[in-house]
Amino acid sequence: MKLLTKTSLYLLYFTTIAFIVAGFIFYYSIRTIVYKQINDALITEKNIIQEQIEHTDTIPDFNTGFGHLIEVKIFENQRKHKQTIKDTLINTNEDDDIPYRKLYFTSTTKNKKGYSISISHPLSEKKDLLENISILLLILFIVLILIFVVVNYWLSKRLWIPFYRSLAEINRFDINSSTPPSFSESDIQEFNRLNKVLENMAKTIRNDYLSLKEFNENASHEIQTPLSIIRTKLELLLQYENLNTEQINLLESVNNALTRLSKLNQGLIIISKIDNQQFASSEEISIQSVIQNLLCENEEIIRLKNITLSTDFQSPLKTTINPILAEILATNLISNAIRHNTENGYIDIKTIDNTLVIANSGNTLNIDTSNLFNRFSKSSSNKDSIGLGLSIVKKITNYYNFSITYTYADLTHEIKIVF
Amino acid sequence: MKVLIVEDEKPLSDSISNYLKQEGYICEIALNFDQADRKISGCNYDCIVLDIGLPDGNGLNLIKTLKENKMNDGVLILSAKNSIEDKIKGLEIGADDYLTKPFHLAELNARIKSIFRRRNLSGNNEIVFNEIKINTDEKQVYVNDKTLTLTRKEYELALFFVSNKNRVLTKESIVEHLWGDNVVMADSFEFVYTHIKNLRKKILEFGGSDYIKTVYGLGYKFSDQ
């Protein structure tokens, strides 16, 4: 859910609840005030009547206008001093019962005569008033809520503009690009702080990445010299005449490990070179001829493994690529197709438009194929593989924005590259 | 034959010197640019094995000095960086060959011999090993003066063996010599074996001796001892 929708919904939700509560409080407050007013009026009237009765011993003459009902009764015996005020329904004429506020007062005059005063004020006018106020209030509240939500929506949309700009900028961030993300200044302090943090973070990440890249490159180059020393010393050691079988076995193990280490390091050097864009120069290369050259070079091994090779170069596939990378790409793919093949298997190579498809027979891989292009992802059974081949292929295709897909079905591995 | 080894890593220059001395070459070592510069101006060498990444200077400048002084020393560049630009630049300014670390001593030896042959324009380019004779101009191998019909790889294999006679050659060094770095290592051992079998068969057919000895697990040795 978008932030804007979410805040609008929350706002709607909470203001509605707040307004309902406020509405009730308001309604009951007004009601209390209205009742108090009526009560006061009733008491005032009663006091006037009471005073007259007690001072003059006469029952005053009432005009029962304004819908007030006043009734005074005189009793022979004494009455207790008592006053009640309550709501009641009085059936005046043919109409329905009409609500009244009624004061009932009993007391005794100085000459020991009891009397009662009952005064009733009709409530209907007041009730109308309350109802009208309530309706007005409701309308006001609804309008207020709507204004709130609309203003909030509009305001948020405006206020978050710098945020979305920063988001788009950070989305464009490419660790390999030499231009760092630039965030535009906004008049909101928090967003400026966020931009500052993002900018510093991008800078740190990029610096770390660069120094790591540099370290990788230096390390793999520095390793070449000790590797050379080990290899040459080993070769000198091999020349001794009287080596026994045990010593030769030891030397063989060292030699195998050394070969693997050299290959591994070569792979890492290639990867770091691609990362460092040291293969920048490119020219138009015929993929077909690169592959045919490679097939020529590997002809013997293909024959030796009794692999049936079929090629179908329908369209002359040409692309602009660095010639060395083109060769590395093709070499890795072809040697994989040979290495992971089965005895008496086959390799099918074809080009359709700008797509190269290399399919070969082979057993199911015992690794997760979604990690196939990751470094050092290799089937454990193949100890000769250093696990960098496809990762280099992926690096090259990424570098030129070629798409590469791998599929496996019916004992056939298929790699497809769209140039 | 006089060889100057310019390499700042002493263990490595010692290895190279050790291996080449067994070929009967006179080897001198320069451990830095300065030493190398002095040695070069002092006398002529048939070949200079030159590490271009020296701590006190770029080895490429030594080649420039050589060429400016019209000295005809052969130069083989050693580099830790497998960089095409360096290679092209080195060869352009007059180096004869380029080898990337880590290299095989057998390969280095074969390359140096090839430089000697190329520079020795007047002489006959024939390598003789008992009854076997290799003419590197014709790219032909003769056994008892009869021409062997060899494939290109078999010829290269024979030349590599004879260049490194009486040495144990690892399978890896043979594979890299014949097919370069980019072949499928594990499987290629099998067809190194096939090539060696064929070469041996052809030499034997023409009355040659069986000089190719298997060093179990490690590689092969071409030897009459």
Side-chain angles (χ1 to χ4, degrees):
Chain A
M1 196 185 278
K2 278 180 81 171
L3 186 73
L4 208 53
T5 329
K6 196 135 191 159
T7 48
S8 298
L9 274 180
Y10 272 124
L11 196 70
L12 197 67
Y13 190 63
F14 286 112
T15 45
T16 309
I17 288 176
F19 281 165
I20 287 170
V21 172
F24 271 104
I25 292 172
F26 194 76
Y27 176 82
Y28 282 102
S29 306
I30 294 203
R31 213 180 95 112
T32 314
I33 292 167
V34 166
Y35 269 69
K36 194 172 177 303
Q37 239 174 19
I38 297 173
N39 291 353
D40 286 352
L42 285 171
I43 290 167
T44 314
E45 272 176 45
K46 179 221 77 176
N47 284 346
I48 295 167
I49 296 166
Q50 187 190 0
E51 206 172 313
Q52 207 173 354
I53 291 172
E54 284 180 11
H55 280 113
T56 58
D57 253 343
T58 55
I59 297 164
D61 180 34
F62 314 108
N63 56 342
T64 54
F66 309 112
H68 293 197
L69 301 173
I70 300 173
E71 200 178 357
V72 177
K73 283 182 185 153
I74 305 289
F75 305 102
E76 287 308 312
N77 44 353
Q78 291 183 8
R79 291 284 156 132
K80 256 198 233 155
H81 190 81
K82 203 175 110 196
Q83 176 180 306
T84 54
I85 300 174
K86 60 180 183 190
D87 287 348
T88 179
L89 292 172
I90 296 172
N91 197 333
T92 42
N93 33 32
E94 71 271 17
D95 285 340
D96 292 334
D97 294 347
I98 294 168
Y100 276 85
R101 185 80 176 157
K102 184 179 178 185
L103 177 138
Y104 187 75
F105 179 78
T106 53
S107 195
T108 308
T109 56
K110 271 177 245 157
N111 42 17
K112 311 276 190 250
K113 274 189 177 164
Y115 68 92
S116 76
I117 308 167
S118 102
I119 310 166
S120 301
H121 279 199
L123 274 174
S124 50
E125 295 164 28
K126 309 287 177 188
K127 278 227 153 125
D128 282 349
L129 183 72
L130 259 177
E131 241 164 58
N132 286 337
I133 288 176
S134 300
I135 288 167
L136 263 172
L137 208 63
L138 192 69
I139 291 167
L140 187 72
F141 280 178
I142 288 172
V143 170
L144 265 179
I145 287 175
L146 283 178
I147 289 173
F148 257 47
V149 169
V150 169
V151 166
N152 172 65
Y153 190 87
W154 177 80
L155 206 63
S156 299
K157 214 163 182 163
R158 271 186 63 89
L159 287 177
W160 285 93
I161 284 175
F163 173 80
Y164 286 108
R165 232 187 275 138
S166 301
L167 197 67
E169 187 62 33
I170 208 78
N171 202 23
R172 266 199 302 276
F173 175 59
D174 174 16
I175 202 157
N176 273 315
S177 134
S178 51
T179 51
S182 74
F183 299 99
S184 47
E185 194 81 8
S186 101
D187 52 359
I188 299 168
Q189 210 185 350
E190 281 81 358
F191 288 138
N192 279 338
R193 262 174 60 198
L194 177 74
N195 287 348
K196 199 88 207 143
V197 169
L198 285 177
E199 215 172 283
N200 285 339
M201 214 160 78
K203 215 183 278 170
T204 318
I205 289 172
R206 206 178 125 69
N207 285 345
D208 284 356
Y209 173 72
L210 286 182
S211 67
L212 191 68
K213 218 163 74 165
E214 200 185 318
F215 170 79
N216 274 346
E217 198 195 354
N218 289 344
S220 29
H221 278 133
E222 286 307 315
I223 287 170
Q224 297 288 65
T225 304
L227 272 180
S228 310
I229 296 172
I230 299 172
R231 181 177 272 178
T232 54
K233 296 294 175 199
L234 185 68
E235 275 180 278
L236 291 175
L237 195 55
L238 291 181
Q239 307 309 327
Y240 285 91
E241 291 292 333
N242 41 6
L243 294 173
N244 63 33
T245 322
E246 202 182 333
Q247 287 164 338
I248 286 181
N249 285 342
L250 289 176
L251 290 174
E252 188 197 354
S253 303
V254 174
N255 188 42
N256 289 342
L258 184 64
T259 305
R260 269 184 70 183
L261 188 59
S262 308
K263 291 269 161 206
L264 192 64
N265 203 41
Q266 273 172 19
L268 291 176
I269 287 178
I270 290 174
I271 289 179
S272 87
K273 274 178 148 179
I274 298 170
D275 279 342
N276 290 337
Q277 321 210 327
Q278 284 168 1
F279 293 105
S281 67
S282 53
E283 53 191 81
E284 187 156 72
I285 297 281
S286 157
I287 296 299
Q288 179 186 339
S289 65
V290 171
I291 286 177
Q292 271 168 339
N293 279 344
L294 267 170
L295 292 176
C296 264
E297 279 178 40
N298 284 290
E299 199 188 345
E300 291 159 296
I301 201 163
I302 292 170
R303 222 184 310 129
L304 197 79
K305 288 190 89 167
N306 206 12
I307 293 168
T308 315
L309 177 69
S310 60
T311 52
D312 177 13
F313 297 108
Q314 279 183 358
S315 47
L317 177 49
K318 281 189 174 156
T319 187
T320 309
I321 184 173
N322 179 288
I324 299 162
L325 288 186
E327 200 175 312
I328 293 172
L329 180 76
T331 305
N332 280 319
L333 291 176
I334 301 285
S335 62
N336 269 346
I338 298 170
R339 189 191 304 150
H340 299 295
N341 220 311
T342 47
E343 204 72 31
N344 305 319
Y346 60 86
I347 298 177
D348 274 339
I349 302 173
K350 58 186 172 197
T351 56
I352 310 151
D353 297 329
N354 59 344
T355 307
L356 169 72
V357 183
I358 299 179
N360 66 277
S361 53
N363 296 321
T364 316
L365 295 174
N366 54 3
I367 54 161
D368 182 6
T369 52
S370 58
N371 292 331
L372 197 68
F373 294 107
N374 288 357
R375 284 180 204 183
F376 305 118
S377 116
K378 54 177 176 173
S379 52
S380 50
S381 60
N382 200 334
K383 65 177 169 53
D384 299 302
S385 154
I386 55 164
L388 284 180
L390 280 181
S391 144
I392 292 173
V393 166
K394 181 78 180 167
K395 270 259 178 273
I396 297 172
T397 52
N398 278 358
Y399 186 72
Y400 289 105
N401 284 328
F402 303 152
S403 86
I404 181 163
T405 45
Y406 165 83
T407 45
Y408 178 78
D410 304 328
L411 297 171
T412 301
H413 302 276
E414 189 183 276
I415 294 245
K416 192 188 272 179
I417 301 183
V418 182
F419 289 94
Chain B
M1 291 289 184
K2 254 176 107 176
V3 179
L4 175 66
I5 300 151
V6 186
E7 164 63 62
D8 57 307
E9 291 284 336
K10 196 167 182 311
L12 194 54
S13 43
D14 284 347
S15 294
I16 298 170
S17 158
N18 187 324
Y19 197 90
L20 295 182
K21 270 178 184 162
Q22 288 174 41
E23 293 292 314
Y25 304 150
I26 301 157
C27 293
E28 284 184 29
I29 294 173
L31 290 173
N32 53 44
F33 187 90
D34 217 37
Q35 281 182 21
D37 202 32
R38 259 180 283 138
K39 279 185 193 286
I40 286 171
S41 47
C43 59
N44 281 326
Y45 294 91
D46 296 288
C47 184
I48 299 171
V49 178
L50 178 64
D51 180 357
I52 52 171
L54 293 168
D56 55 342
N58 188 332
L60 290 176
N61 291 334
L62 283 175
I63 308 177
K64 281 182 194 150
T65 315
L66 279 176
K67 298 301 152 187
E68 276 161 17
N69 296 321
K70 305 252 184 300
M71 288 192 278
N72 202 24
D73 310 26
V75 178
L76 190 151
I77 292 176
L78 286 184
S79 171
K81 291 192 183 182
N82 189 3
S83 121
I84 300 299
E85 290 77 33
D86 272 2
K87 186 171 180 173
I88 292 170
K89 204 171 162 201
L91 297 180
E92 247 172 22
I93 62 174
D96 297 82
D97 209 344
Y98 186 99
L99 199 55
T100 310
K101 291 178 184 177
F103 53 88
H104 293 276
L105 284 172
E107 182 67 34
L108 178 70
N109 187 28
R111 301 270 187 117
I112 290 174
K113 285 195 171 160
S114 153
I115 290 175
F116 288 161
R117 284 196 301 273
R118 261 182 280 159
R119 310 215 134 234
N120 179 20
L121 294 173
S122 51
N124 61 336
N125 279 322
E126 277 188 354
I127 308 163
V128 181
F129 182 84
N130 298 342
E131 69 273 26
I132 298 169
K133 191 170 74 189
I134 300 177
N135 186 314
T136 53
D137 288 336
E138 300 169 3
K139 293 198 189 299
Q140 289 292 346
V141 177
Y142 302 90
V143 173
N144 296 320
D145 292 323
K146 281 174 283 187
T147 317
L148 289 189
T149 325
L150 297 180
T151 63
R152 197 169 61 92
K153 291 271 188 265
E154 283 162 2
Y155 165 77
E156 280 171 16
L157 186 63
L159 183 59
F160 192 55
F161 269 135
V162 174
S163 297
N164 288 291
K165 57 180 184 280
N166 299 325
R167 309 270 201 171
V168 175
L169 299 179
T170 59
K171 291 173 291 187
E172 291 84 7
S173 69
I174 297 174
V175 168
E176 278 183 32
H177 180 75
L178 294 185
W179 290 280
D181 284 349
N182 290 334
V183 287
V184 187
M185 197 48 100
D187 297 305
S188 47
F189 294 150
E190 291 175 47
F191 64 110
V192 163
Y193 172 74
T194 319
H195 281 303
I196 285 173
K197 203 174 69 186
N198 292 340
L199 180 65
R200 180 189 277 139
K201 204 170 77 191
K202 286 177 183 172
I203 293 173
L204 289 176
E205 250 172 49
F206 283 75
S209 316
D210 183 11
Y211 297 116
I212 306 172
K213 302 189 168 60
T214 305
V215 182
Y216 182 74
L218 279 172
Y220 303 91
K221 188 173 178 178
F222 195 81
S223 165
D224 56 356
Q225 285 155 13

